[in-house]
Amino acid sequence: MLQLNDIFGENGYLAEVLSGFQPREGQQLMAAAIEEVLSLGKKSATPAERCLVIEAETGIGKTLAYLIPAVLSGKKIVVSTATLNLQDQIIFKDIPLIQQIVGEDLPVVCVKGRENYLCLYRWYQYRSNPQLSAGADSDVARIDNWLKTTSTGDKAELGWLGEKGDLWSQISARSSQCLGSNCPDGAECFITQLRRKAGAARLLIVNHHLFFSDLALKKEGFGDILPRYETVIFDEAHHIEDVASLFFSCSFSHYQLIDLLNDIEQQAKNDLSAEKIDTLLPQLTGLRKRGENFAALFPKELGRFYLDTFIDKISPEAWLEEVDLVNTGFKHLAKEMTALSKYGEAWSSFAGRSEELAEKLRDIAIKSEQEETELIRWYEKRERSVALSATPLEVSNLLSEYLYNAVEACIMTSATLSTGTSFSYIKKRLGLGEETRCLQFTSPFDYEHNSLIYVPERTFPEPIDQRYQEKLGNRVAQLLKASAGRGLVLCTSFKNMDHIADFLETELDYKILVQGRSAKNALLDTFRKETHSVLIAVASFWEGVDVSGESLSCVIIDKLPFEVPTDPVLQTRIERVRSEGGNPFFEYQVPRAVLSLKQGVGRLLRSVTDTGVVAIMDVRLYTKGYGRTFLKSLPPAPVTRELNDVRNFFSSNC
């Protein structure tokens, strides 16, 4: 049987199949620790002993460090990632490499969310529509040809299908519209075939959204999405709390109501006579109007707000009356849909969706005493709709009960899990016991010689200073002139992004790429190809962006990424820390900002030959006490506060 040293050692299989492979101690130690945990059984170890937390910085090779012991263990294992990109990397790059090493095909299946797959029933309904436009007819022909060859029905295979347009939303396999065992196309269903393959596979590659969607279903006793598994490995595990919070929440939106009514109208055209449609439409119009009136109750200000505060303003009595009006409409609709079930399988599904939406609205809108301290009730006002949610105040107990106690082993890894040198934040937020083993493997990259960290001089204004925006724009331009473009500017807000973009377009001759002006992948492709360009972005560009080589030689971060505590969930969790006698700023807000900063800084060096500068344009790193926590979390690169040192670095490394 293969041993880890046979694979990761100096003369091992990885050295044979990977050109330029160099054994890395951190990778070998990580793989050995995972192998040890995987060998434990539920009966021989406590849940805390069966959990393992590993921070593996860029360059460790953590994906192979967990995949290889997972494959060698012979156990049924789920690998959960934060992004579809990492799923694809594992399936198309890492698994073929491991198959080469072990000399056999591995029973591996990639499982994505249902909306990524085509629904045959909905497709046949769509293509039978006589009112399709000429452009739609062209799309129909292309998808028809694709269906002759595809074995997965995965949207990712349709490279020509853009993100814009509503074609895919009309034909995808959304759970709300699934007919289940009543579907006439069930035998050929891609989801059914996928589940069959997943049941036989030993390794399942999923993303966090799908994993916690499955866990939430199991919690409620509604069956499952994934087959039984023995162990779970989370990559990009710093996202777990946020994703778990999302799927352990209960949500209702005005959009869900509109979506249901639109689906019913479309199905009526296919199944019902003109007379039946004329009878049904007034009921749909009435419920649509009730939904519009309900959405109109909420203030026009966009954003997320406490639901309880809003209810108190309009009075609890008025609120319950409005909720009852909508729910009565749902009940009548469900009854009508059940009566129409003789005309086709879809009508029973519509009845179920009506009842489910009524139940969700009732559960969120009417607060029980038991839930008062367990759930955060809030609403989000959007441009054209409103959404209501009830989110758990904490997910730690839920994870303990439904995850850690249910599996033989749970492994969590990421490049960013510690703050300073401590794992206390992540352990507390995720409900991991104090005795949970935490390992930290630093990057093998030569930060001392290949990189430089720049923080402006003491007199540079802090972000709250009125002079900050002007000084920031000028200094960013100076840095990018020193780096000859080749820069990624990461902003903490769209406002800052737009300000810097507008300024740089007048100051620099380099191509300026701005998030939102093109698709993310298109921006990154241009940034890679046009060496002396500048990419300015927020949010998702802080992580998952992998640009090695000369094109990315300077990462500029506008300020420390503290979240503005206006979100009701964030506010309530801050208050919980305070009510327990803690300091929410140092125990909650600083750690979250540290993890975000580490992700941003991690965009710079992506290979052993990369060189470059990280500029953090926030003097609070030195003027505030908490700055030391951020500084301790940064890579071991030299730090300078002199702009000339940056110029000299680029002169020496170009």
Side-chain angles (χ1 to χ4, degrees):
M1 181 179 174
L2 280 174
Q3 303 296 314
L4 291 181
N5 193 54
D6 298 331
I7 298 171
F8 291 101
E10 187 170 352
N11 298 309
Y13 287 103
L14 281 175
E16 288 183 16
V17 299
L18 275 181
S19 176
F21 174 80
Q22 292 291 327
R24 284 158 283 185
E25 183 183 21
Q27 187 180 48
Q28 295 178 46
L29 291 173
M30 178 176 173
I34 290 172
E35 181 182 56
E36 180 184 346
V37 171
L38 292 177
S39 68
L40 299 174
K42 289 183 74 172
K43 294 181 180 179
S44 62
T46 66
E49 291 170 333
R50 301 195 309 269
C51 289
L52 177 63
V53 176
I54 303 175
E55 181 175 80
E57 294 182 357
T58 307
I60 289 293
K62 63 181 168 62
T63 311
L64 289 177
Y66 64 70
L67 281 176
I68 288 174
V71 167
L72 296 181
S73 73
K75 294 180 180 290
K76 181 99 172 185
I77 294 178
V78 169
V79 173
S80 181
T81 76
T83 60
L84 293 176
N85 284 343
L86 184 50
Q87 275 186 278
D88 289 339
Q89 176 200 307
I90 291 172
I91 289 294
F92 297 115
K93 179 183 175 184
D94 298 318
I95 293 300
L97 179 69
I98 297 172
Q99 287 180 153
Q100 208 177 336
I101 291 170
V102 300
E104 62 178 284
D105 288 338
L106 298 174
V108 180
V109 172
C110 179
V111 185
K112 301 177 182 178
R114 295 180 59 107
E115 66 279 1
N116 290 281
Y117 302 95
L118 180 136
C119 170
L120 289 170
Y121 177 80
R122 298 188 74 207
W123 168 245
Y124 295 136
Q125 293 286 316
Y126 175 84
R127 72 194 295 275
S128 65
N129 185 348
Q131 298 178 344
L132 288 176
S133 65
D137 278 336
S138 172
D139 291 341
V140 166
R142 297 179 79 173
I143 292 180
D144 267 338
N145 288 331
W146 169 63
L147 286 174
K148 294 173 184 176
T149 59
T150 183
S151 61
T152 66
D154 187 349
K155 178 189 176 185
E157 297 175 5
L158 300 175
W160 55 268
L161 187 66
E163 295 296 324
K164 295 182 179 179
D166 61 353
L167 170 60
W168 190 256
S169 67
Q170 296 183 64
I171 61 176
S172 62
R174 289 184 290 173
S175 58
S176 63
Q177 296 173 325
C178 180
L179 302 180
S181 58
N182 294 321
C183 181
D185 300 295
E188 292 79 32
C189 174
F190 291 117
I191 298 292
T192 301
Q193 293 180 35
L194 181 65
R195 285 179 171 171
R196 193 177 299 121
K197 292 175 186 175
R202 209 171 69 217
L203 196 63
L204 300 179
I205 313 300
V206 307
N207 59 50
H208 296 344
H209 283 72
L210 182 67
F211 182 86
F212 284 104
S213 176
D214 174 71
L215 203 64
L217 283 176
K218 287 184 171 76
K219 171 183 174 291
E220 299 299 330
F222 292 149
D224 52 39
I225 301 169
L226 301 174
R228 291 184 178 274
Y229 49 86
E230 297 168 281
T231 293
V232 60
I233 299 173
F234 292 102
D235 199 343
E236 302 170 311
H238 56 284
H239 287 290
I240 288 177
E241 182 184 17
D242 290 340
V243 179
S245 296
L246 175 66
F247 284 95
F248 284 134
S249 296
C250 178
S251 297
F252 167 87
S253 72
H254 178 223
Y255 174 80
Q256 291 172 322
L257 166 59
I258 299 303
D259 195 39
L260 170 61
L261 297 178
N262 289 343
D263 287 342
I264 292 172
E265 287 185 8
Q266 182 60 46
Q267 194 68 36
K269 295 175 185 177
N270 296 327
D271 293 350
L272 304 182
S273 66
E275 184 180 352
K276 284 285 184 185
I277 292 175
D278 288 343
T279 303
L280 178 62
L281 283 179
Q283 186 174 359
L284 300 183
T285 302
L287 184 52
R288 192 184 296 273
K289 183 63 177 176
R290 287 187 186 185
E292 291 171 356
N293 291 341
F294 181 75
L297 288 173
F298 295 84
K300 292 182 179 180
E301 184 181 1
L302 303 182
R304 296 181 174 186
F305 309 93
Y306 281 110
L307 183 59
D308 290 337
T309 303
F310 166 71
I311 292 172
D312 288 341
K313 284 183 180 178
I314 67 168
S315 88
E317 294 77 15
W319 170 250
L320 292 177
E321 184 177 335
E322 294 291 343
V323 170
D324 187 58
L325 278 172
V326 178
N327 267 350
T328 299
F330 277 129
K331 291 174 184 176
H332 290 159
L333 183 63
K335 186 176 179 180
E336 182 65 26
M337 295 300 98
T338 301
L340 292 171
S341 60
K342 61 185 177 182
Y343 292 100
E345 298 85 354
W347 300 96
S348 295
S349 174
F350 293 146
R353 286 171 66 183
S354 302
E355 292 167 351
E356 183 183 359
L357 287 176
E359 183 179 352
K360 285 183 175 180
L361 176 57
R362 184 179 62 251
D363 287 348
I364 300 168
I366 304 172
K367 180 170 64 175
S368 69
E369 291 183 9
Q370 180 184 1
E371 294 172 340
E372 189 164 349
T373 58
E374 297 172 356
L375 293 174
I376 307 161
R377 297 198 302 166
W378 53 281
Y379 73 90
E380 181 175 12
K381 188 69 170 66
R382 303 165 184 166
E383 286 284 356
R384 298 182 179 178
S385 70
V386 65
L388 278 58
S389 294
T391 299
L393 180 57
E394 308 283 353
V395 297
S396 54
N397 290 336
L398 293 168
L399 293 174
S400 295
E401 182 176 355
Y402 297 102
L403 178 57
Y404 310 144
N405 289 332
V407 295
E408 290 188 9
C410 179
I411 296 156
M412 301 178 178
T413 185
S414 171
T416 55
L417 289 174
S418 69
T419 56
T421 57
S422 171
F423 288 89
S424 58
Y425 168 78
I426 206 76
K427 287 201 291 187
K428 182 174 182 181
R429 300 309 308 173
L430 299 184
L432 296 163
E434 278 302 313
E435 62 273 34
T436 299
R437 188 180 177 195
C438 298
L439 302 175
Q440 192 171 22
F441 299 113
T442 57
S443 173
F445 294 165
D446 188 357
Y447 281 96
E448 184 178 352
H449 296 97
N450 290 353
S451 65
L452 181 70
I453 295 174
Y454 168 77
V455 181
E457 66 278 5
R458 182 179 58 83
T459 56
F460 194 85
E462 291 188 4
I464 58 171
D465 194 305
Q466 290 184 348
R467 301 169 297 157
Y468 173 74
Q469 288 287 1
E470 180 185 353
K471 295 287 186 181
L472 175 67
N474 282 314
R475 188 59 54 86
V476 169
Q478 290 176 301
L479 289 165
L480 291 170
K481 287 176 182 176
S483 65
R486 305 184 297 165
L488 172 63
V489 183
L490 296 174
C491 301
T492 51
S493 69
F494 283 101
K495 180 181 177 181
N496 275 10
M497 180 186 78
D498 292 337
H499 169 80
I500 292 174
D502 291 343
F503 182 82
L504 293 182
E505 285 176 330
T506 64
E507 291 291 314
L508 301 179
D509 294 329
Y510 310 120
K511 188 177 186 68
I512 305 297
L513 306 165
V514 184
Q515 181 179 350
R517 297 184 185 176
S518 297
K520 181 177 181 179
N521 287 339
L523 285 171
L524 288 172
D525 286 344
T526 304
F527 183 58
R528 289 186 181 99
K529 291 172 184 174
E530 301 203 17
T531 304
H532 296 281
S533 59
V534 176
L535 175 56
I536 309 169
V538 297
S540 62
F541 283 77
W542 281 68
E543 56 182 284
V545 170
D546 193 349
V547 180
S548 33
E550 190 181 359
S551 293
L552 178 49
S553 300
C554 184
V555 171
I556 301 173
I557 295 172
D558 65 344
K559 61 181 178 179
L560 298 179
F562 286 108
E563 297 165 290
V564 180
T566 55
D567 182 277
V569 175
L570 186 65
Q571 282 185 24
T572 308
R573 287 177 174 168
I574 287 172
E575 287 304 316
R576 167 59 68 90
V577 175
R578 184 176 289 114
S579 69
E580 292 175 344
N583 184 318
F585 182 71
F586 286 101
E587 295 177 26
Y588 187 73
Q589 292 168 273
V590 166
R592 286 176 71 87
V594 166
L595 295 181
S596 293
L597 181 67
K598 288 172 69 174
Q599 282 290 334
V601 170
R603 297 314 98 212
L604 182 65
L605 300 192
R606 306 303 298 175
S607 73
V608 292
T609 57
D610 284 353
T611 62
V613 171
V614 172
I616 306 171
M617 310 301 292
D618 196 330
V619 296
R620 290 177 296 176
L621 283 166
Y622 286 96
T623 62
K624 304 296 183 184
Y626 58 77
R628 289 191 295 271
T629 303
F630 285 92
L631 290 170
K632 284 196 299 183
S633 301
L634 295 176
V639 180
T640 183
R641 306 191 72 180
E642 297 291 336
L643 189 58
N644 276 335
D645 289 341
V646 175
R647 296 188 177 108
N648 291 336
F649 178 90
F650 283 117
S651 296
S652 303
N653 289 277
C654 283

